[in-house]
């Protein structure tokens, strides 16, 4: 039985530069890259070496802890270079594409009759297993586990977030097939969440329990949906997959090939013609945004939303999970007495002299300026106003800092992911890196509890 998800606590940050539902095609990059840091908690061990030939979908490296979890090349070509950093840590693996593109073909005939173990083997060999993440800890799922449920969020509620319907354009058949495949991996339910305010072509999916979400961001975050539908308890595992990644799994199940083509939103206040672009995972960011004009050259490129994405550059590469490249003005200017002078072009949930409360529907062109430096936690109560989970956010972050395992468990560390603290970080007058703090706490829990 479906269940509406409603929250009142949260915050919609309205920004200029939303992407129009138009799709262009980016040029084919002259080099692609696999970046191990995209996969949190994974220590890579190379399968291919410099100079080796590789097909699209063929494994390039695997997890040192679990050799079954492999990470494939998005294109066919030759391994051009393996870049390393301090202590010979692998930074990225560059692949120079060949003229003719060949893909690894997997046997998928009779997939409807395959057992859960056989389907897991297929997903692992094809290299699409990293699409499946688990809660708790927000890391790649352990293939030895059986999840209680699987959650798919078909609603991106973050600022300037990509529209799921555009990301899945002409892929409904693949999405449904992917859901059918994933349903064999759990004895529980597959939950799919839609934006309750709009009409979606994906509202009639089979084999899922569909929910409609109402309220401000972070209603589109999976943690919010899990908490409202069926909260996670200690010892339970829940798997989380993005809908566009479910479609990749479904296309594999139908064609036997992994398609690493992505539709990516390029948007933000610095983009003059924001829209979507069709490209391939691992492409150079400079190629992804080559068809766009910018207001100025003083830009910050972010893979993900403005509040939970990662800073990037034109010389870096499109991440495995990236469906958005946001371009904001670099905030390297400072206003004299900016904290006290009335300003109508800034957004604040606390300060009346910003006048945000007078224009609730106004769209802002914010920069990356944090308007202050780090300081100790200040007790304002504002975190709780934008945090819909039944958790004390400040106390949880403090427990992460001093690593009290029992206290972390009691305060709900199993229920959260770093992205859930993007809003508390945005409104924080102390300018503390909330998402980094939670990530550190989750990593400590993995080491101590497992």
């Amino acid at each position: 039985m479906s269940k509406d998800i409603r929250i009142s606590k949260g915050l919609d940050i309205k920004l200029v530069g939303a992407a129009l539902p138009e799709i262009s095609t980016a040029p084919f990059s002259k080099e692609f890259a696999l970046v191990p840091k995209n996969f949190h908690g994974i220590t890579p061990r190379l399968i291919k070496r410099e100079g080796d030939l590789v097909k699209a979908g063929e494994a390039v490296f695997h997890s040192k802890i679990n050799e079954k979890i492999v990470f494939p090349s998005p294109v066919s070509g030759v391994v051009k270079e393996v870049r390393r950093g301090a202590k010979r840590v692998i930074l990225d693996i560059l692949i120079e594409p060949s003229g003719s593109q060949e893909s690894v073909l997997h046997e998928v005939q009779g997939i409807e009759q395959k057992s859960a173990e056989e389907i897991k083997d297929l997903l692992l060999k094809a290299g699409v297993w990293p699409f499946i993440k688990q809660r708790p800890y927000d890391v790649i799922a352990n293939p030895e586990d059986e999840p209680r449920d699987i959650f798919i969020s078909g609603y991106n509620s973050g600022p300037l977030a990509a529209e799921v319907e555009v990301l899945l354009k002409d892929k409904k058949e693949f999405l449904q097939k992917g859901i059918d495949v994933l349903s064999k991996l759990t004895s529980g339910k597959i939950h799919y969440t839609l934006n309750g305010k709009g009409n979606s072509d994906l509202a009639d999916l089979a084999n899922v329990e569909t929910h409609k979400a109402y309220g401000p961001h972070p209603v589109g975050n999976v943690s919010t949906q899990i908490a409202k539908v069926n909260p996670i308890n200690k010892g339970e595992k829940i798997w989380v997959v993005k809908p566009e990644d479910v479609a990749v799994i479904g296309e594999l199940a139908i064609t036997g090939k992994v398609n690493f083509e992505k539709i990516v939103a390029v948007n933000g206040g610095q983009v003059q013609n924001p829209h979507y672009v069709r490209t391939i995972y691992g492409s150079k960011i400079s190629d992804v945004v080559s068809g766009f004009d910018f207001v100025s050259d003083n830009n910050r490129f972010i893979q993900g939303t403005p509040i939970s994405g990662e800073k990037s550059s034109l010389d870096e590469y499109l991440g495995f999970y990236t469906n958005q490249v946001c371009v904001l003005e670099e905030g390297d200017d400072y206003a004299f007495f900016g904290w006290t002078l009335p300003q109508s072009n800034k957004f604040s949930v606390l300060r009346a002299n910003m006048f945000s409360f007078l224009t609730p529907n106004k769209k802002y062109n914010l920069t990356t300026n944090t308007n202050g430096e780090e300081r100790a936690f200040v007790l304002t109560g504002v975190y709780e106003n934008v945090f819909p989970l039944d958790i004390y956010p400040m106390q949880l972050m403090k427990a992460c800092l001093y690593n009290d395992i029992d206290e972390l468990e009691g305060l709900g560390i199993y229920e959260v992911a770093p992205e859930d603290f993007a809003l508390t970080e945005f409104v924080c007058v102390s300018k503390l890196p909330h998402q980094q703090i939670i990530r550190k706490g989750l990593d400590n829990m993995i080491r101590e509890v497992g």
Side-chain angles (χ1 to χ4, degrees), residues 315-328:
D315 293 327
E316 294 185 51
Y317 302 87
L318 194 67
F320 190 77
Y321 303 103
T322 300
N323 60 21
Q324 173 184 4
V325 176
C326 185
V327 189
L328 302 181

Side-chain angles (χ1 to χ4, degrees), residues 131-253:
F131 285 134
I132 304 174
K133 289 191 170 185
Q134 75 164 43
R135 300 295 171 84
Y137 305 140
D138 191 36
V139 293
I140 294 173
N142 183 350
E144 305 300 324
D145 294 335
E146 180 183 340
R148 188 199 73 190
D149 297 300
I150 298 176
F151 276 76
I152 305 168
S153 178
Y155 177 28
N156 293 334
S157 61
L160 297 180
E163 295 287 342
V164 172
E165 283 74 14
V166 181
L167 300 179
L168 290 171
K169 186 175 177 60
D170 302 325
K171 293 184 178 181
K172 184 176 180 180
E173 177 189 3
F174 297 144
L175 175 63
Q176 182 62 70
K177 189 65 174 181
I179 289 171
D180 295 340
V181 169
L182 291 175
S183 67
K184 291 179 173 290
L185 303 183
T186 177
S187 56
K189 299 177 180 179
I190 295 185
H191 300 270
Y192 190 90
T193 305
L194 298 165
N195 182 356
K197 294 183 179 179
N199 297 319
S200 174
D201 295 335
L202 307 176
D204 58 348
L205 294 170
N207 245 352
V208 296
E209 188 170 290
T210 303
H211 310 279
K212 291 186 176 181
Y214 301 87
H217 183 64
V219 72
N221 284 6
V222 177
S223 297
T224 304
Q225 297 165 14
I226 293 173
K228 296 298 181 180
V229 174
N230 190 359
I232 188 171
N233 298 308
K234 182 179 179 180
E236 294 179 335
K237 298 289 194 304
I238 290 177
W239 288 356
V240 175
V241 196
K242 290 183 178 180
E244 61 268 29
D245 299 334
V246 176
V248 175
I249 294 172
E251 188 169 357
L252 165 67

Side-chain angles (χ1 to χ4, degrees), residues 73-381:
S73 170
V75 294
S76 64
V78 61
V79 178
K80 179 181 176 182
E81 183 183 358
V82 178
R83 293 177 178 168
R84 295 180 181 268
K87 298 182 180 179
R88 292 187 56 77
V89 170
I90 298 174
L91 301 179
D92 45 40
I93 301 120
L94 301 185
I95 298 172
E96 185 177 337
S98 58
S100 59
Q101 290 295 303
E102 289 185 80
S103 297
V104 175
L105 185 63
H106 299 273
E107 178 56 55
V108 294
Q109 188 173 2
I111 193 169
E112 296 81 3
Q113 285 74 45
K114 290 183 182 293
S115 66
E117 290 305 316
E118 289 173 323
I119 289 176
K120 283 182 181 181
D121 287 341
L122 170 65
L123 301 184
L124 287 164
K125 290 177 182 176
V128 297
W129 188 266
F131 285 134
I132 304 174
K133 289 191 170 185
Q134 75 164 43
R135 300 295 171 84
Y137 305 140
D138 191 36
V139 293
I140 294 173
N142 183 350
E144 305 300 324
D145 294 335
E146 180 183 340
R148 188 199 73 190
D149 297 300
I150 298 176
F151 276 76
I152 305 168
S153 178
Y155 177 28
N156 293 334
S157 61
L160 297 180
E163 295 287 342
V164 172
E165 283 74 14
V166 181
L167 300 179
L168 290 171
K169 186 175 177 60
D170 302 325
K171 293 184 178 181
K172 184 176 180 180
E173 177 189 3
F174 297 144
L175 175 63
Q176 182 62 70
K177 189 65 174 181
I179 289 171
D180 295 340
V181 169
L182 291 175
S183 67
K184 291 179 173 290
L185 303 183
T186 177
S187 56
K189 299 177 180 179
I190 295 185
H191 300 270
Y192 190 90
T193 305
L194 298 165
N195 182 356
K197 294 183 179 179
N199 297 319
S200 174
D201 295 335
L202 307 176
D204 58 348
L205 294 170
N207 245 352
V208 296
E209 188 170 290
T210 303
H211 310 279
K212 291 186 176 181
Y214 301 87
H217 183 64
V219 72
N221 284 6
V222 177
S223 297
T224 304
Q225 297 165 14
I226 293 173
K228 296 298 181 180
V229 174
N230 190 359
I232 188 171
N233 298 308
K234 182 179 179 180
E236 294 179 335
K237 298 289 194 304
I238 290 177
W239 288 356
V240 175
V241 196
K242 290 183 178 180
E244 61 268 29
D245 299 334
V246 176
V248 175
I249 294 172
E251 188 169 357
L252 165 67
I254 292 174
T255 66
K257 297 180 180 180
V258 181
N259 184 1
F260 288 105
E261 184 181 87
K262 298 170 76 76
I263 294 177
V264 177
V266 179
N267 53 24
Q270 288 293 93
V271 184
Q272 292 186 351
N273 53 334
H275 62 272
Y276 293 78
V277 61
R278 196 182 304 274
T279 185
I280 297 175
Y281 150 62
S283 298
K284 212 165 189 178
I285 297 296
S286 58
D287 293 319
V288 175
V289 303
S290 62
F292 295 82
D293 298 318
F294 302 111
V295 175
S296 71
D297 295 330
N298 189 29
N299 301 322
R300 178 180 294 187
F301 294 87
I302 302 167
Q303 295 199 50
T305 68
I307 60 173
S308 61
E310 291 191 4
K311 182 180 178 181
S312 187
S313 72
L314 292 175
D315 293 327
E316 294 185 51
Y317 302 87
L318 194 67
F320 190 77
Y321 303 103
T322 300
N323 60 21
Q324 173 184 4
V325 176
C326 185
V327 189
L328 302 181
E329 182 182 354
E330 190 67 66
D332 52 7
D333 60 314
Y334 297 93
F336 185 65
F337 284 122
W339 56 274
T340 186
L341 295 178
Q343 298 183 56
S344 60
N345 62 337
K346 289 189 176 183
F347 179 89
S348 177
V349 295
L350 283 177
R351 298 191 179 107
N353 63 348
M354 299 300 181
F355 303 108
S356 304
F357 67 98
L358 294 176
T359 53
N361 294 316
K362 179 180 177 179
K363 292 185 177 181
Y364 294 84
N365 189 10
L366 302 182
T367 71
T368 61
N369 197 329
T370 59
N371 299 298
E373 298 177 347
E374 287 188 22
R375 58 188 75 95
F377 278 114
V378 178
L379 295 172
T380 61

